[in-house]
Amino acid sequence: MPEGTVQRAQGRGRFISFEGGEGAGKSTQIKKLSSRLNAANVRTLITREPGGSPGAEIVRHLVLSGMGKLLGPDAETLLFAAARDDHVRTVIQPALAQGTWVLCDRFADSTRVYQGRLGRVEPAVLNAMERVTIGDLKPDLTLILDVPVEVGLRRAAARRGNATADRFESEDVRFHEELREAYREIAVAEPGRCVLIDASADADAVAARVWDALRRRFSAASTASAASPA
Ligand code: Z5A
């Protein structure tokens, strides 16, 4: 596939989020996609949630230490929201305004799935938090990397080695099964924004699927005000 088939929008950059369960391979795919876009002269910023800005990284540390779980699902949701608010205002929006493509490892769908579906936080609370933190800022494309739970947990355990599992890694298999189901439901409910990617193949094969999804979404035909990568 020629690199030039993904077009760069003039003005604002594209906002692409990656979602999925434990060990789905988001970080791996984000790095691969960034390299490929850079080779096509598209400037990218790799970032993540929770975190991505100095303030949000402090909250990340708190949440992954298990502190949020002690406070309960509603309070934990507020912590993720506080981190997102800082990240959006200080990193994501300025980068998009400069024409940079933002590749974000998790975004608001993670709150919908982890705190909403798994934590049973009410939709009204999630909606209110989204209004405050992201307003109209929806990703232009959300790639949901889908792997069977046992595959994802095996990958995550291999990567972790002897290190201690964090707050979410230590949840049981049923938690991860429900998580996967919730992501699949989002993909079905929002086909205009989300693409479900089978991420159980090797990393290069998955990267080809990711690129194909991008090409379809941002091809010349579907991008009215597009300019070819310089
Ligand atoms: N959370 C939340 O509850 N609410 C929110 O609003 C937000 C987040 C934003 C952040 O964890 C946690 O916060 C997350 C949800 C919660 N909980 N969990 N779990 P994190 O940032 O520390 O980790 P993560 O986002 O879950 O990422 P991950 O699952 O740990 O990894 P990944 O990025 O998806 O995968 P990876 O690092 O690219 O790959 C994992 C390993 O598999 C690694 O050794 C790779 O080399 C290997 N790999 C990758 N791809 C492949 C393929 N295709 N084949 C074979 N091996 C592969």
Side-chain angles (χ1 to χ4, degrees):
M1 181 177 13
E3 301 293 334
T5 52
V6 166
Q7 305 280 305
R8 185 181 58 194
Q10 284 169 337
R12 181 184 178 278
R14 299 290 192 186
F15 181 25
I16 303 172
S17 63
F18 283 71
E19 296 278 358
E22 185 67 14
K26 300 182 291 359
S27 317
T28 304
Q29 292 305 320
I30 284 178
K31 283 187 214 131
K32 284 181 176 292
L33 178 59
S34 175
S35 303
R36 195 157 182 180
L37 285 169
N38 292 162
N41 285 321
V42 175
R43 194 170 57 236
T44 57
L45 171 77
I46 295 179
T47 189
R48 68 173 180 186
E49 291 211 348
S53 64
E57 287 291 329
I58 294 171
V59 180
R60 175 186 175 88
H61 180 70
L62 253 179
V63 171
L64 295 188
S65 72
M67 180 64 170
K69 191 176 185 181
L70 290 178
L71 297 174
D74 285 334
E76 193 174 44
T77 301
L78 296 180
L79 288 175
F80 281 112
R84 181 160 303 132
D85 188 61
D86 191 58
H87 185 214
V88 165
R89 277 185 303 104
T90 66
V91 174
I92 296 179
Q93 283 176 332
L96 291 173
Q98 287 170 7
T100 301
W101 288 39
V102 175
L103 311 182
C104 193
D105 193 338
R106 299 193 180 282
F107 194 59
D109 293 309
S110 286
T111 311
R112 292 263 162 202
V113 169
Y114 284 83
Q115 283 64 57
R117 178 70 166 265
L118 278 309
R120 312 286 186 252
V121 172
E122 286 180 21
V125 173
L126 301 180
N127 291 342
M129 289 300 102
E130 279 190 14
R131 249 195 330 275
V132 172
T133 57
I134 65 177
D136 293 334
L137 182 74
K138 283 251 180 193
D140 298 299
L141 174 64
T142 295
L143 297 159
I144 299 177
L145 303 191
D146 181 59
V147 288
V149 168
E150 63 277 14
V151 173
L153 291 180
R154 208 181 313 124
R155 285 182 190 168
R159 182 195 48 196
R160 189 167 60 243
N162 293 327
T164 317
D166 72 26
R167 180 245 181 279
F168 294 97
E169 289 169 345
S170 44
E171 295 285 357
D172 64 18
V173 171
R174 265 206 7 222
F175 175 97
H176 292 285
E177 293 285 6
E178 195 173 346
L179 191 75
R180 184 183 187 203
E181 191 49 39
Y183 272 123
R184 293 169 74 99
E185 286 173 16
I186 289 176
V188 170
E190 293 191 62
R193 173 174 68 88
C194 302
V195 177
L196 190 74
I197 304 271
D198 177 356
S200 52
D202 67 72
D204 285 339
V206 178
R209 289 170 193 164
V210 165
W211 186 256
D212 192 50
L214 239 84
R215 192 184 52 77
R216 286 167 189 270
R217 188 58 51 92
F218 301 132
S219 67
S222 63
T223 312
S225 59
S228 293

